[in-house]
Amino acid sequence: MMGQHQTGGRRAIGLDIGGTKIAGAVVQDDGTVLTELVERTPEQSDARSTSKILLRLTERLRAEHPEVVAVGVGAAGIVEWPAGLIRWAPNNDYRDWPVRAELEEATGLPAAVDNDANVAALAEARLGEQRYRNMMLLTVGTGIGGGLVLAGEIYRGPTGMGAELGHIIVNPDGPRCGCGNRGCLEAYASGTALTRMGRELAAADPASLVARLAREEGAEVTGQTVAQAAGQGDPAAKALFARLGRWLGVGIASLANIFELEAVRIGGGLVETGDLLLEPARAAAREYAYAARTRGIAPVLPSTFGSDAGIIGAAVLGLEHAAEA
Amino acid sequence: MMGQHQTGGRRAIGLDIGGTKIAGAVVQDDGTVLTELVERTPEQSDARSTSKILLRLTERLRAEHPEVVAVGVGAAGIVEWPAGLIRWAPNNDYRDWPVRAELEEATGLPAAVDNDANVAALAEARLGEQRYRNMMLLTVGTGIGGGLVLAGEIYRGPTGMGAELGHIIVNPDGPRCGCGNRGCLEAYASGTALTRMGRELAAADPASLVARLAREEGAEVTGQTVAQAAGQGDPAAKALFARLGRWLGVGIASLANIFELEAVRIGGGLVETGDLLLEPARAAAREYAYAARTRGIAPVLPSTFGSDAGIIGAAVLGLEHAAEA
C-alpha cells in the first residue's frame, strides 16, 4: 500500500549515515529488509572516508541483489534537495559533499539523498503501523533529528534546509549544543545530553551506581551507562531520564503548537529505553500543549521501525524518486 | 499582481477582530483601503456582543460600497478552516462562534474567516513590498500571532489549528502566559509582557520615569508607558525593550531553524516602536540561528501594511475564497 507512490514489488538499496554507524540494506517496497550491512562511522568522517564506505556497501549489496532499481540515502546533516549535496553536519566532518552525483556515477542507478530524519519520517508515513498525513518524527540519538510530514509529504523547505527540529531553542540560557548555539532541544534531550548529565552525576557522587558501573568497565560514563543504571532501578539514573524526557516533551509541545499533528513518533537509539524516556516526555507534552481542550493532543509513540527506519526510509525515498523521474 | 489568484479590480469587506479593537474596511484587490471604520472590542467580548459589532460594521460599509463581492475576516484565536468557526481565543471571550455562517446568512455574500495573523501574512505574501513564497509574519500586540506562508500558501494544518507561533515554549520555567502555559514566546515578547515588565520596574523603582509617567496620568503602567519612556531616551525603559526584543529574536531563530524562510515580517502594535524592538530581535535571531553559514539568515523586517494588515489580508482572503468558490 504505497498510495500514489505505487512501485510494485521493486527493491532498492537504502543507506543510512549516522554519527556512529553507516548502514546499508536491500529493502523491498513493502519495507522488508532483505540484507543489511553495518560499518562504523570513521573517526575522521569527512566526505572522502565516508564516501569510500558508502560505495563499498553499495557494491557488496548490489552484487548480492543485482535486481535493485534505485539507491536512497539518509544522512545526518543539512542536505540540499533535490541536488543531494550534503552541505554540513554538526556531528560529522563531511562538508559540501555531492553524494547523489557520486552514487549515480558509480552505480548508473537513480539516486536520491535526504536528511536521515526526513527519510525515517517517510518510512513512518508510507509504511508505519498507522499512516498519518500530518506527523512528526524525532530521532533521539547522538543528536536529535526531525522529520515533518505535512499533508502527506515531507516538508523540506524550498532547498532542503527546513525541519531542523532538534535545533529549536528551549532555553536560551541553556547548555552549549554541538551546533554551537545554546539551549537547543538537542543540547537537553539527546544521547549527548544524557552523557553530559551522567558525567555530572558521577563527578558529584562517585559512589553513585552510574559512577560505579563506569569504573567497573574502566570506561568513561556515557548515556548507555545511565540507561544501564536506570534499567537496574537506580533512582538517580531514573531521575536523569525524567529530566531528559521532560525536555523532550517541552520540545514536542512547542512543535505541536506550531503544527496540527495527528501523531508524534520517537525513533533513534534512546527510544529503546521505552517508557523511561517516553512517559516524562508525554507528561510534559500534555503540560505545555497550547489550548489542548480545543486542539487535542497528538499521541507520542515509539517509531514503527526502530533502528531500521533510516535504511527503510532511504530505500522508499530512492524508489519514489526513481518512479517520479 | 495576484498571480494565480487574479481577481481583476474587485472589492471586498475586510474585518479584523483583535483583543482591543474591531476594524472593518472596504479594500480593493490591489490593497487600497477605500473606507475604514473602527470600534472598541467590548469588555465582554463574547460571540453575541462581537457579532453585533461585526454585522453593524458590515452593514455600514456595504451601504457605502454596494459593489463589494465578498467578506473576509481575520480574528484572534483558533479558527476552524474552511468552516470559519472560531473555536477559542486566549484574549477574547468568544467560543465556538460560527462567524462565516452568520456573515453569509446576513449578507448573502461569500465569506471566509481565518486567524488574524494568517490573513496579515496573506496580505504580506500577496501584496507586500517584496513577495516571498516562504515567509513568516509575527504580529506583536496584546499577544503574539503567527502566520506562515510555505511554498506560496498559508499553512493552516488540516483543520486550521496550526501556526500558533506565539505559543512555542522559549523557556519552560518562564512566566505564565494568557493561554495558561508557562514560558510561551507570547509571555516574554508581547505587549502584555511589556506591561508586566513595566509594572515590575515601577514597583521596584517608584522614581523611575516609567513610574512617574504613569503617576502623572493617574493610570497604571502599560506597555505604552514603557514605549513613551523609551522614546524619551530613558535607559531603564530601553533596557526592557532590549529584553523584550531579545526574546522575540530567540523565538524567531527557533522558528527559522524549523522553516527555510526568505523573510520574517513583524507586525502588530509594538512594531511601531521600530528599532527599539527590532534591533535586539535581529541580534538574537542571528545569535541563535542554526548553521547560519550554511543556511543563511532571513532578514527581520517590519510588515508592509502596519495596523492595516488585518483588514487588507481579510479582504484578500475574502476575494481569493470567492474566486475559488
Side-chain angles (χ1 to χ4, degrees):
Chain A
M1 280 298 295
M2 300 191 65
Q4 64 194 93
H5 301 276
Q6 197 72 43
T7 48
R10 297 188 307 162
R11 291 165 178 185
I13 292 174
L15 296 157
D16 179 16
I17 312 175
T20 56
K21 69 183 177 71
I22 301 174
V26 173
V27 182
Q28 200 157 285
D29 62 4
D30 61 357
T32 312
V33 177
L34 301 167
T35 316
E36 184 176 354
L37 303 169
V38 180
E39 300 209 17
R40 289 188 68 83
T41 301
E43 195 73 33
Q44 264 300 102
S45 61
D46 55 12
R48 194 145 169 277
S49 334
T50 315
S51 179
K52 254 192 217 159
I53 298 173
L54 222 57
L55 293 175
R56 188 163 65 221
L57 287 173
T58 307
E59 213 169 289
R60 286 173 57 196
L61 290 166
R62 207 179 176 190
E64 207 174 317
H65 288 276
E67 76 279 14
V68 294
V69 297
V71 184
V73 180
I78 297 174
V79 184
E80 252 186 58
W81 178 265
L85 176 83
I86 308 186
R87 294 286 302 273
W88 182 83
N91 303 308
N92 296 64
D93 302 322
Y94 41 67
R95 302 287 178 264
D96 296 317
W97 172 27
V99 188
R100 183 181 159 195
E102 274 186 16
L103 279 171
E104 291 194 335
E105 197 184 308
T107 64
L109 293 173
V113 183
D114 201 350
N115 173 272
D116 54 355
N118 282 5
V119 305
L122 185 66
E124 199 64 54
R126 299 284 186 261
L127 302 169
E129 267 168 3
Q130 285 123 317
R131 314 285 158 83
Y132 298 105
R133 285 180 54 78
N134 295 276
M135 58 149 277
M136 167 170 92
L137 179 134
L138 295 177
T139 58
V140 186
T142 310
I144 292 188
L148 267 175
V149 177
L150 303 178
E153 298 299 330
I154 294 289
Y155 172 78
R156 295 183 177 95
T159 73
M161 311 228 179
E164 296 294 347
L165 310 183
H167 299 277
I168 60 168
I169 312 297
V170 291
N171 178 1
D173 300 318
R176 191 67 70 181
C177 180
C179 78
N181 278 350
R182 276 193 184 286
C184 296
L185 179 58
E186 178 166 308
Y188 274 111
S190 64
T192 306
L194 191 62
T195 296
R196 188 190 64 235
M197 295 193 302
R199 286 179 186 175
E200 285 166 6
L201 170 67
D205 180 5
S208 62
L209 183 56
V210 167
R212 280 185 284 131
L213 287 172
R215 269 200 307 276
E216 278 166 24
E217 291 182 18
E220 274 203 282
V221 168
T222 66
Q224 283 184 322
T225 326
V226 182
Q228 200 186 335
Q232 295 178 23
D234 179 57
K238 283 166 78 176
L240 295 190
F241 267 95
R243 263 169 66 192
L244 194 83
R246 180 172 171 80
W247 281 108
L248 183 63
V250 167
I252 289 169
S254 206
L255 290 160
N257 295 349
I258 301 173
F259 302 103
E260 194 182 337
L261 301 172
E262 294 156 84
V264 177
R265 292 278 189 181
I266 309 296
L270 257 85
V271 78
E272 284 161 32
T273 62
D275 283 347
L276 261 179
L277 179 72
L278 294 180
E279 271 311 310
R282 287 179 184 125
R286 271 194 301 274
E287 183 181 339
Y288 287 94
Y290 173 66
R293 260 179 297 185
T294 302
R295 304 173 83 237
I297 292 179
V300 178
L301 308 164
S303 73
T304 302
F305 299 108
S307 57
D308 283 345
I311 46 171
I312 295 174
V316 169
L317 178 76
L319 289 171
E320 287 195 2
H321 183 74
E324 279 160 13
Chain B
M1 279 300 293
M2 300 189 66
Q4 65 195 92
H5 302 276
Q6 197 71 43
T7 47
R10 296 189 307 163
R11 291 164 178 184
I13 292 173
L15 297 158
D16 179 15
I17 312 175
T20 56
K21 69 183 177 72
I22 300 174
V26 174
V27 182
Q28 201 157 283
D29 62 5
D30 62 357
T32 313
V33 177
L34 301 167
T35 316
E36 183 176 355
L37 303 169
V38 179
E39 299 208 19
R40 289 187 69 81
T41 301
E43 195 73 34
Q44 265 299 102
S45 61
D46 55 11
R48 193 145 167 277
S49 333
T50 316
S51 179
K52 254 191 216 160
I53 297 173
L54 223 57
L55 293 175
R56 187 163 66 220
L57 287 173
T58 307
E59 213 168 288
R60 285 173 59 194
L61 291 166
R62 208 178 177 190
E64 209 175 314
H65 287 277
E67 76 279 13
V68 295
V69 297
V71 184
V73 180
I78 297 173
V79 184
E80 251 186 59
W81 179 265
L85 175 84
I86 308 184
R87 294 286 302 275
W88 182 83
N91 304 308
N92 297 63
D93 302 322
Y94 40 67
R95 300 287 179 264
D96 296 317
W97 171 27
V99 189
R100 181 179 162 198
E102 274 186 14
L103 279 171
E104 290 194 335
E105 196 183 308
T107 64
L109 293 172
V113 184
D114 200 349
N115 173 272
D116 53 355
N118 283 5
V119 304
L122 186 66
E124 200 64 54
R126 299 286 186 258
L127 301 168
E129 267 168 3
Q130 285 123 318
R131 314 285 157 83
Y132 298 105
R133 285 180 55 78
N134 295 278
M135 57 149 277
M136 167 170 93
L137 180 134
L138 295 177
T139 57
V140 185
T142 310
I144 292 188
L148 267 176
V149 176
L150 302 178
E153 298 300 329
I154 296 288
Y155 173 77
R156 294 185 177 95
T159 73
M161 311 227 179
E164 296 293 347
L165 310 183
H167 299 278
I168 59 167
I169 312 297
V170 291
N171 179 359
D173 299 317
R176 191 66 72 183
C177 179
C179 78
N181 278 351
R182 277 195 184 283
C184 297
L185 179 58
E186 179 166 308
Y188 274 111
S190 64
T192 306
L194 190 62
T195 296
R196 186 190 66 235
M197 294 193 302
R199 286 179 187 175
E200 286 166 6
L201 169 67
D205 181 5
S208 63
L209 183 58
V210 167
R212 281 186 285 132
L213 288 172
R215 269 200 305 277
E216 278 166 24
E217 289 181 19
E220 275 203 283
V221 170
T222 66
Q224 283 184 323
T225 326
V226 182
Q228 200 186 334
Q232 294 177 23
D234 179 58
K238 284 167 76 178
L240 295 190
F241 267 94
R243 263 169 66 192
L244 194 82
R246 180 171 171 81
W247 281 109
L248 184 62
V250 167
I252 290 169
S254 205
L255 289 160
N257 295 349
I258 301 174
F259 302 104
E260 193 181 336
L261 301 172
E262 294 156 85
V264 177
R265 293 278 189 180
I266 309 295
L270 256 85
V271 79
E272 285 161 31
T273 62
D275 283 347
L276 262 180
L277 179 72
L278 292 182
E279 272 311 309
R282 287 180 184 123
R286 271 193 301 273
E287 184 181 339
Y288 288 94
Y290 172 66
R293 261 178 297 185
T294 303
R295 302 173 85 236
I297 291 179
V300 178
L301 308 164
S303 73
T304 302
F305 299 108
S307 57
D308 283 346
I311 48 171
I312 294 173
V316 169
L317 178 76
L319 288 171
E320 286 194 4
H321 184 76
E324 278 160 15

